[in-house]
Structures are given as structure tokens and as C-alpha cells.
């Protein structure tokens, strides 16, 4: 088996991808052998590496072609062939072969002392040599099995890798027709040796490793992570992998892969978790909540996907933990600028969808302190328009809808007033109704801090600006003589007259 797999692996590495795609693994018996050996070596059991059935996979036509090639090779090397490269010895020439000299030299013998000393050493070390040979043989066998495991995965990966051009549908259709034999061969192989057995064997090995009853190597973990990643990134493997039972086992294994001290294994496990949608499983999200510092970008992506995905079953307590982790990510500044935008947009959409159901009311009524901390950490990035929009949307979905003049919400209301100065200028359209709601329902407990922060003066300056824009706009409209209509603005917007109405209601 190792020699046969080495031949297949050499073909995959030496030939072009197009040529490899036409040969491997469209052969159904070969595919079954590759999948079978891969699943068997995943369990790291005592499996023999010899299999005479591989000689029966050749067809009669291929056997005849092999005989013709062998005869042609023998004819090319025969002495009667004039083009033979074999050299004959020339008559009278001296031979260049010299007799080997004895290793000890001429006439040298070991002394009696050396002979007796060697006998004693051999006698003392006889038991140790036997034990050492046994350890070496077991280690060598484990290495051979790991190499078979690697070779089977590499052949399956190389032979099913495709680069399609989505802009050319005809090329995609032709490629799909050419790949049909490969899909059929893989389907037959996975029907006989399902991937669930591979995951079960891998789970067993992880349990043995955690109990110190087995030792998994970097090589074994890299091959396993790469194969799982390929199964989810390749359309030929995904239908056989994407089942509820397989996802549950993979969700249990993902934390172990993410903890493994190898960057390549962690990277492949992270991408496989994103491809497989493991944000729906608590075992993965709970691990990321506890270990967000080790992989902050992955934690950001997975937790925001859980908030946005309405198919993910979440409880308000779980979503609260996600927001707590988001606060720590923003405070520690572990995320890149793109990661910060992804985090803010994900939280914003989660509040817009009110996922889980009743989450907006729950956050304002029971977790208002945590909500205030989240807004403060987001305000630290308020130079970004995306972050500022996220703050306003969260306030609109919580304060603008569920605020009540309760004593326990006073501290949270003061935090909102501290954010008002920057939000009035940048996000007037969405934020001013929230401020009006606070002033309307809060009574004296809100009006006094509002006046102390000089917010009424800021609103007065905005009122003056709106009046000026309204007067200027009316003059321009009278002098405007164009047949085309005025273009409509996209998104939420208020005219100068509507802004005036809001601000007059606020002062009233």
C-alpha cells in the first residue's frame, strides 16, 4: 500500500491539474481503496499495509498496454539493439575494480582483553537491545501508517481540486459533466465507508489524547484539519459531510483543533468552522467566549454570525455573553479596522432583527448596565461613520421603543446624554427622536442633566441652521426653472421643515 500510494502521489504532484482530474479518482475501486485506508488509519489501529487486491484493479485493456510497454522497454535495453548504451570491456584494458582491503588492516586481531570485554557488554545489553528494537519497530510502523493516512488524503485532495470560472457558465457546465465520473466514484466510496466513521475515529483519538492514553502528532493533526477543510470547501465532498450528526461531532472536535499549538491547524480549523456554520453550536461559541484573546478575529466573525443568523437557536443570556465578549474585544483593541466594522454591523443587525426574540427589551430592562458599557466602547471608535450609525441604531431599537422613566435606568440615561453631543451633529435624523423620547418621558430626572450639559443650546444652534436652510431653499425654489424634477434622496432623511418641527416639539 505505501508503494502504491507513493506512485499515486507522485502522479498528482508531477502531472498538471487538468491531467490529474481526468485520471484520479474517477476509478471507483481506487477511490474506495483511498477512502478505506484513510478511514482505517484515522483510528490508528493495527492495520496491515499489504493488500494484494490492488493488482486486481487493472482492466484487461490496461494489462495488454502494460505488456506492450514492458516488451518495448526490454527491446530497448537488449544488447542486440544498436542504440544500446551498455559498454563492453575493451581488450587489453586494465580493470578498474580493486579488491577491498580488510576493515581491520592486514594481520590485525582483537586482543584477549577486547574479546572478553565485548562478550560482557553483549551479555549485559542483550535485554535492552531487544526492548529498543521493539520500540523502534512500533515507532516505524506508526510512521508508515501516518504516511499512508497523509498520502490518501493528499491524493483525494489533489484529484478533486477544481478552479471554476463563475463568469463563464458554459465552462462550468462542461466541467460539471467531466466531473460526473469522479462524483460517482466518490459517492460509491462514501456509501461503503461513510465520513461519519472517520469523525467517530477522530473523536476517539482526541479522547484518548486528552486522557493521556495516546499521543497525537502535529503531522496527524495537520492532515486531519486539511481534509476537513477540503471537505467543506469542495462541492464534491460537501454533500457527504453536511449532515446533522457529522456537524455535531465536528462541533465537539473544533475546540480541540483550535487549542492545538500549531498555526496551520488553527487556521484550517477556523476556516472549516466558518464554512460549516458552527456558530449554531454552543460548544464552539462558548469556547470562543472563553478564549477570545487567542483568536479574536474568529471570535468576532462567529459571534456576530450567531447574532445575525435567525436559524441559530439563541437565548437572551447567550446573546448577552456575546455582547460582553464584544466589549472586551473593543476595549483590548485586538481587532483590525475591518474586524471592528464587522463587529459593529453584526451587533447592529442583531438589534434590528431583535434576535433572539425580545432581545432589545431584555437588554434595556435587565442588562442596561452592559448596554451602556457597549455604547461607551463603541463611542471610542466614533470617528468611523459605520460605528456611529451602529450606536444610533442600537439606541433607536432600545431607548426609542422600550424606555420608561424608572429609577434604575437613570444612570443609563445619563450615559446616553453624554453621547448626545457627537450624535446630534452626525446622526440627527435617527438620534433626535431618541433624545425627544428621553425628554418627553424622563421628566425632571432627564431635563436637569440635559440642561447641565448644554444640549438645549446645541439644539438651538441646529434650529437656527435649519431656519436659514429653509429660507435659502425657498428662495432658490422660486428662482429654479428646470424641467427635471429634484432627485430624491435615498435612506432616512428629514427636510428642513421636518427638522424644525422636531426641534420645536423638543423645546415645548
Amino acid at each position: 500500500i505505501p508503494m502504491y500510494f507513493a506512485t499515486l502521489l507522485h502522479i498528482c504532484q508531477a502531472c498538471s491539474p487538468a491531467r490529474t482530474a481526468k485520471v484520479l479518482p474517477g476509478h471507483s475501486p481506487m477511490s474506495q481503496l483511498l477512502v478505506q485506508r484513510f478511514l482505517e488509519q484515522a483510528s490508528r489501529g493495527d492495520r496491515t499495509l499489504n493488500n494484494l487486491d490492488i493488482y486486481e484493479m487493472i482492466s484487461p485493456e490496461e494489462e495488454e498496454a502494460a505488456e506492450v510497454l514492458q516488451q518495448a522497454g526490454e527491446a530497448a535495453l537488449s544488447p542486440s539493439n544498436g542504440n544500446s548504451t551498455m559498454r563492453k570491456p575493451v581488450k587489453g584494458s586494465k580493470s578498474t575494480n580493486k579488491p577491498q582491503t580488510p576493515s581491520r588492516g592486514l594481520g590485525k586481531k582483537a586482543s584477549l582483553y577486547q574479546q572478553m570485554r565485548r562478550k560482557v557488554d553483549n551479555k549485559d545489553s542483550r535485554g535492552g537491545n531487544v526492548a529498543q528494537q521493539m520500540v523502534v519497530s512500533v515507532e516505524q510502523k506508526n510512521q508508515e501508517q501516518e504516511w499512508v493516512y497523509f498520502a490518501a488524503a493528499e491524493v483525494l485532495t489533489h484529484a478533486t481540486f477544481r478552479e471554476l470560472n463563475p463568469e463563464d457558465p458554459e465552462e462550468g457546465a462542461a466541467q460539471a459533466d467531466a466531473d460526473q465520473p469522479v462524483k460517482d466514484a466518490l459517492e460509491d466510496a462514501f456509501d461503503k465507508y461513510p465520513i461519519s466513521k472517520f469523525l467517530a475515529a477522530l473523536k476517539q483519538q482526541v479522547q484518548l489524547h486528552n486522557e493521556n492514553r495516546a499521543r497525537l502528532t502535529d503531522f496527524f493533526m495537520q492532515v486531519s484539519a486539511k481534509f476537513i477543510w477540503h471537505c467543506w470547501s469542495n462541492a464534491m465532498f460537501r454533500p457527504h459531510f453536511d449532515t446533522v450528526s457529522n456537524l455535531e461531532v465536528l462541533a465537539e472536535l473544533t475546540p480541540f483543533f483550535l487549542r492545538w499549538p500549531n498555526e496551520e491547524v488553527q487556521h484550517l480549523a477556523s476556516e472549516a468552522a466558518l464554512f460549516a456554520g458552527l456558530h449554531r453550536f454552543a460548544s464552539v461559541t462558548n469556547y470562543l467566549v472563553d478564549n477570545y484573546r487567542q483568536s479574536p478575529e474568529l471570535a468576532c466573525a462567529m459571534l456576530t454570525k450567531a447574532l445575525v443568523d435567525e436559524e441559530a437557536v439563541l437565548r437572551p443570556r447567550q446573546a448577552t455573553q456575546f455582547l460582553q465578549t464584544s466589549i472586551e474585544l473593543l476595549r483590548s483593541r485586538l481587532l483590525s479596522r475591518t474586524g471592528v466594522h464587522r463587529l459593529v454591523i453584526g451587533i447592529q443587525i442583531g438589534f434590528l432583527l431583535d434576535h433572539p426574540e425580545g432581545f432589545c427589551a431584555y437588554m434595556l430592562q435587565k442588562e442596561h448596565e452592559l448596554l451602556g458599557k457597549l455604547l461607551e466602547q463603541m463611542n471610542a471608535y466614533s470617528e468611523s461613520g459605520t460605528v456611529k450609525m451602529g450606536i444610533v441604531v442600537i439606541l433607536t431599537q432600545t431607548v426609542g421603543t422600550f424606555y420608561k422613566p424608572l429609577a434604575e435606568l437613570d444612570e443609563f440615561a445619563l450615559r446616553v446624554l453624554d453621547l448626545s453631543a457627537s450624535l446630534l451633529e452626525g446622526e440627527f435624523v435617527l438620534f433626535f427622536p431618541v433624545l425627544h423620547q428621553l425628554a418627553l418621558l424622563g421628566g425632571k430626572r432627564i431635563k436637569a442633566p440635559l440642561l447641565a450639559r448644554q444640549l438645549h443650546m446645541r439644539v438651538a444652534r441646529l434650529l437656527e441652521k435649519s431656519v436659514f436652510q429653509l429660507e435659502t431653499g425657498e428662495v432658490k425654489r422660486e428662482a429654479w426653472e428646470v424641467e427635471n424634477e429634484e432627485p430624491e434622496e435615498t435612506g432616512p432623511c428629514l427636510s428642513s421643515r421636518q427638522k424644525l418641527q422636531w426641534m420645536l416639539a423638543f423645546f415645548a
Side-chain angles (χ1 to χ4, degrees):
I1 293 297
M3 294 295 296
Y4 179 63
F5 281 5
T7 305
L8 296 179
L9 187 60
H10 177 72
I11 293 174
C12 293
Q13 294 177 347
C15 298
S16 62
R19 186 176 182 185
T20 305
K22 294 181 180 179
V23 179
L24 304 172
H27 194 267
S28 183
M30 182 193 304
S31 300
Q32 293 185 14
L33 178 64
L34 290 169
V35 175
Q36 175 191 1
R37 286 297 175 171
F38 180 78
L39 299 184
E40 288 179 352
Q41 302 307 324
S43 62
R44 298 166 65 91
D46 188 11
R47 298 288 189 274
T48 178
L49 298 179
N50 297 323
N51 189 353
L52 299 179
D53 295 339
I54 60 176
Y55 298 106
E56 299 178 1
M57 294 193 302
I58 186 171
S59 63
E61 295 80 4
E62 294 172 343
E63 187 174 0
E64 293 179 0
E67 291 180 357
V68 172
L69 289 176
Q70 184 176 3
Q71 292 176 1
E74 292 177 353
L77 296 176
S78 62
S80 59
N81 190 358
N83 297 328
S84 176
T85 59
M86 296 179 61
R87 298 180 61 184
K88 298 181 181 181
V90 181
K91 187 175 181 180
S93 63
K94 295 182 178 181
S95 175
T96 59
N97 297 328
K98 297 181 179 180
Q100 297 181 353
T101 58
S103 59
R104 293 188 180 182
L106 296 175
K108 291 185 177 181
K109 294 183 179 179
S111 64
L112 294 176
Y113 171 77
Q114 291 177 346
Q115 294 177 6
M116 295 300 295
R117 185 63 180 268
R118 289 170 184 168
K119 288 181 181 179
V120 173
D121 292 342
N122 292 335
K123 184 177 180 179
D124 294 339
S125 61
R126 187 174 303 167
N129 289 337
V130 173
Q132 186 177 4
Q133 291 176 1
M134 293 178 62
V135 172
V136 171
S137 63
V138 172
E139 187 67 23
Q140 183 179 2
K141 187 174 182 179
N142 290 338
Q143 292 177 359
E144 291 178 352
Q145 290 180 345
E146 283 193 348
W147 191 89
V148 170
Y149 184 64
F150 158 76
E154 283 293 305
V155 173
L156 289 171
T157 302
H158 278 82
T160 55
F161 180 77
R162 301 290 186 272
E163 290 185 358
L164 299 179
N165 185 9
E167 299 180 356
D168 190 356
E170 296 182 357
E171 180 182 352
Q175 185 66 47
D177 295 339
D179 291 340
Q180 191 59 42
V182 179
K183 295 179 181 179
D184 296 339
L186 288 176
E187 185 175 357
D188 296 338
F190 286 123
D191 286 343
K192 194 172 182 180
Y193 307 101
I195 292 184
S196 58
K197 291 185 177 180
F198 159 66
L199 293 175
L202 192 59
K203 181 180 178 180
Q204 183 182 10
Q205 293 301 315
V206 169
Q207 292 175 349
L208 294 176
H209 180 86
N210 292 333
E211 297 172 0
N212 294 327
R213 296 169 56 189
R215 184 177 63 87
L216 300 181
T217 62
D218 267 354
F219 188 63
F220 179 83
M221 293 298 297
Q222 288 177 1
V223 174
S224 302
K226 183 177 181 180
F227 183 76
I228 293 174
W229 173 83
H230 183 72
C231 286
W232 279 105
S233 59
N234 190 281
M236 298 183 187
F237 287 87
R238 196 180 303 120
H240 307 287
F241 209 106
D242 191 7
T243 62
V244 177
S245 58
N246 290 342
L247 287 175
E248 291 176 353
V249 178
L250 184 60
E252 296 179 10
L253 294 175
T254 298
F256 181 80
F257 279 93
L258 294 176
R259 284 194 302 266
W260 190 261
N262 186 292
E263 293 184 0
E264 182 179 357
V265 174
Q266 294 175 2
H267 177 71
L268 292 174
S270 301
E271 291 197 350
L274 291 171
F275 291 155
L278 297 185
H279 60 274
R280 302 185 181 97
F281 295 88
S283 58
V284 178
T285 55
N286 291 341
Y287 171 80
L288 293 173
V289 166
D290 297 334
N291 302 273
Y292 65 90
R293 290 185 178 275
Q294 297 180 5
S295 50
E297 295 291 343
L298 177 64
C300 171
M302 295 290 285
L303 298 183
T304 51
K305 285 186 71 175
L307 290 173
V308 171
D309 188 3
E310 293 184 299
E311 296 181 0
V313 180
L314 283 182
R315 293 174 296 181
R317 179 66 63 181
Q318 287 178 293
T320 303
Q321 293 177 352
F322 296 170
L323 292 185
Q324 180 64 50
T325 304
S326 302
I327 292 173
E328 297 300 328
L329 288 172
L330 293 173
R331 179 185 290 119
S332 58
R333 295 186 176 271
L334 295 173
L335 298 175
S336 62
R337 187 177 183 84
T338 305
V340 171
H341 288 174
R342 182 187 298 114
L343 180 66
V344 172
I345 292 173
I347 296 174
Q348 170 185 341
I349 296 176
F351 275 94
L352 284 173
L353 297 175
D354 197 19
H355 180 248
E357 186 177 358
F359 182 58
C360 296
Y362 176 83
M363 287 300 300
L364 183 62
Q365 296 169 4
K366 294 186 178 181
E367 297 291 343
H368 48 83
E369 183 177 356
L370 180 65
L371 182 60
K373 293 180 180 179
L374 175 63
L375 295 174
E376 287 182 351
Q377 293 301 322
M378 292 174 64
N379 189 54
Y381 300 85
S382 60
E383 68 276 2
S384 171
T386 302
V387 177
K388 192 175 292 186
M389 174 65 73
I391 295 174
V392 174
V393 169
I394 293 174
L395 288 174
T396 304
Q397 293 295 106
T398 53
V399 179
T401 308
F402 301 104
Y403 175 74
K404 294 181 180 179
L406 302 176
E408 55 266 24
L409 294 180
D410 287 348
E411 185 178 355
F412 174 74
L414 293 178
R415 287 183 173 181
V416 175
L417 293 179
D418 292 336
L419 303 175
S420 301
S422 61
L423 298 179
L424 276 175
E425 298 290 339
E427 298 292 341
F428 180 89
V429 176
L430 293 178
F431 177 71
F432 197 81
V434 175
L435 186 62
H436 176 269
Q437 184 81 349
L438 283 174
L440 180 64
L441 300 178
K444 294 181 179 179
R445 66 175 69 245
I446 295 297
K447 292 178 183 177
L450 190 148
L451 295 174
R453 288 167 173 77
Q454 300 291 319
L455 291 179
H456 63 293
M457 299 301 296
R458 290 181 178 272
V459 176
R461 285 194 290 270
L462 293 175
L463 176 64
E464 182 181 2
K465 184 179 179 180
S466 296
V467 171
F468 176 75
Q469 291 178 351
L470 182 62
E471 293 176 349
T472 306
E474 292 294 338
V475 173
K476 288 183 178 180
R477 185 177 295 275
E478 292 176 359
W480 191 46
E481 297 179 357
V482 182
E483 296 181 358
N484 297 331
E485 295 183 358
E486 189 175 358
E488 297 181 358
E489 297 185 13
T490 58
C493 60
L494 292 176
S495 64
S496 299
R497 188 180 300 277
Q498 291 171 332
K499 290 180 181 180
L500 282 173
Q501 292 174 352
W502 272 108
M503 286 184 279
L504 290 176
F506 173 77
F507 280 115

